Amino acid sequence: QVDLKALVTTADVVLYGKVAAAKVLDRRKEGRGVWTEYALDVAEVWKGDVRLAGKRFTWMHVGGTTPDGITVHVPGMPTFVAGEETVVVLEKNTESHVVSGGPQGKFSVRTLANGQKSVTRELPDVHFLRRDPQTGAMQPAPKQVAIVRTINEFRAEVAGYVAQAAKAASQAKPAPAQAPAPRAPTTK
């Protein structure tokens, strides 16, 4: 389980936009499985390079259906549908970006009857475990409560976490380099 603050703090980018496309990448012959490359038309950048706003951003997601009809799906992982509005929290891996925290990094944006947008995250198919500190045994963790906010509240919360992380990073100064110890003069 990752709380929103930790999710945002460790992410490379947090983007709000509309899912534009999905392209299945069949990498089974390379021993790398089946992936889907999603494209997001970025409306707003909440963390990361602000120049991404107005552009199309892609990331990789495990699973998909190949042309030969093989479907790979990891239970609990989020799904994305072309046309849906979403806030996605992503981290960089060796060749692309992936959703941070698995299913915890996808937030759905819906327009309510009053025209206001709400952000929700529900994890109905996800079950977390935690280690009991006394016995060391694994046990079910409490079910996460769905996150529901207006988009303005959610944007402000994320912005606060981004600002806190930036402040902490700027205050973390490397240890000063020590000058080499003076050498005793040598005589010949």
Side-chain angles (χ1 to χ4, degrees):
Q1 275 177 298
V2 183
D3 66 16
L4 183 60
K5 180 179 181 179
L7 199 64
V8 169
T9 301
T10 59
D12 293 299
V13 292
V14 179
L15 306 172
Y16 163 54
K18 190 176 281 193
V19 177
K23 175 181 165 187
V24 175
L25 304 171
D26 186 350
R27 296 179 163 181
R28 291 175 291 172
K29 289 182 181 174
E30 304 161 29
R32 300 182 68 204
V34 178
W35 292 79
T36 299
E37 180 181 72
Y38 285 100
L40 183 79
D41 287 337
V42 179
E44 298 175 13
V45 177
W46 294 0
K47 182 178 183 181
D49 187 344
V50 295
R51 295 174 295 182
L52 294 173
K55 299 218 165 91
R56 187 163 280 186
F57 185 88
T58 60
W59 74 92
M60 303 290 287
H61 194 68
V62 66
T65 300
T66 63
D68 63 352
I70 301 295
T71 297
V72 175
H73 174 73
V74 178
M77 289 301 283
T79 56
F80 297 90
V81 179
E84 85 173 295
E85 282 186 68
T86 189
V87 173
V88 65
V89 181
L90 301 163
E91 59 189 61
K92 184 107 176 92
N93 69 9
T94 55
E95 67 178 84
S96 180
H97 284 81
V98 295
V99 178
S100 296
Q104 300 172 89
K106 182 205 177 184
F107 299 86
S108 299
V109 179
R110 293 184 177 85
T111 303
L112 304 175
N114 65 4
Q116 192 172 36
K117 292 186 185 244
S118 73
V119 178
T120 61
R121 180 185 71 187
E122 296 183 22
L123 304 168
D125 298 329
V126 178
H127 305 279
F128 294 99
L129 297 175
R130 69 174 179 193
R131 189 170 303 280
D132 182 293
Q134 277 91 24
T135 67
M138 296 304 289
Q139 59 188 13
K143 189 74 173 164
Q144 273 201 337
V145 176
I147 293 177
V148 180
R149 311 254 193 300
T150 68
I151 196 159
N152 291 334
E153 292 167 338
F154 194 67
R155 183 187 299 112
E157 185 176 359
V158 170
Y161 296 145
V162 170
Q164 287 174 8
K167 183 177 179 182
S170 71
Q171 291 175 346
K173 296 178 183 172
Q178 294 188 4
R183 295 182 141 185
T186 57
T187 57
K188 291 189 179 186

